[in-house]
């Protein structure tokens, strides 16, 4: 049996979703957060590894929801996931 992942969501993620997302996008985000408990890269979602960025020292990934990106980090050894932020596509990858 595959081990479960502990998912921590930064409080600003839900605030940003509330401000920017349409109802369908919010539903997709909630489905994604639930799916993360089973696997850090759940199938059925548009996810990419983000090179050159770490989130709290973890490998970074980005989920595409419409014109937004949801950034999260995965600690594979400790089965921990930290969902850090939502950014509009235009500024998501700027440093």
């Amino acid at each position: 049996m595959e081990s479960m992942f502990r998912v921590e969501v930064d409080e600003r993620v839900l605030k940003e979703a509330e401000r920017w997302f349409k109802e369908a996008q919010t539903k997709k985000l909630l489905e994604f957060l639930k799916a993360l408990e089973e696997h850090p890269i759940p199938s059925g979602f548009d996810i990419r590894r983000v090179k050159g960025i770490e989130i709290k020292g973890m490998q970074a990934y980005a989920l595409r929801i419409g014109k937004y990106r949801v950034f999260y980090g995965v600690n594979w050894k400790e089965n921990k996931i930290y969902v850090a932020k939502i950014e509009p596509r235009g500024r998501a990858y700027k440093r």
Side-chain angles (χ1 to χ4, degrees):
M1 184 175 142
E2 203 168 319
S3 54
M4 299 284 279
F5 281 77
R6 194 170 77 243
V7 180
E8 181 186 343
V9 181
D10 191 292
E11 63 184 35
R12 69 185 167 160
V13 168
L14 300 177
K15 287 179 186 170
E16 289 163 348
E18 205 173 278
R19 186 171 59 215
W20 291 331
F21 281 8
K22 296 181 170 98
E23 190 176 339
Q25 292 171 314
T26 300
K27 186 175 180 226
K28 184 85 169 170
L29 175 65
L30 295 175
E31 288 171 6
F32 171 71
L33 294 175
K34 183 81 179 131
L36 279 180
E37 294 174 4
E38 302 288 331
H39 195 280
I41 307 172
S43 61
F45 296 92
D46 187 354
I47 298 169
R48 293 208 167 92
R49 181 166 175 206
V50 182
K51 293 181 179 150
I53 296 177
E54 283 190 345
I55 295 173
K56 290 195 167 194
M58 300 182 225
Q59 207 170 62
Y61 293 85
L63 162 70
R64 183 177 71 82
I65 297 182
K67 63 180 183 176
Y68 298 97
R69 302 298 179 268
V70 179
F71 289 91
Y72 67 102
V74 178
N75 182 325
W76 295 90
K77 288 186 180 135
E78 295 179 22
N79 285 6
K80 285 182 0 188
I81 296 171
Y82 179 73
V83 184
K85 64 182 177 174
I86 298 173
E87 294 268 341
R89 170 64 183 96
R91 77 174 193 223
Y93 298 104
K94 290 189 172 114
R95 303 224 170 134

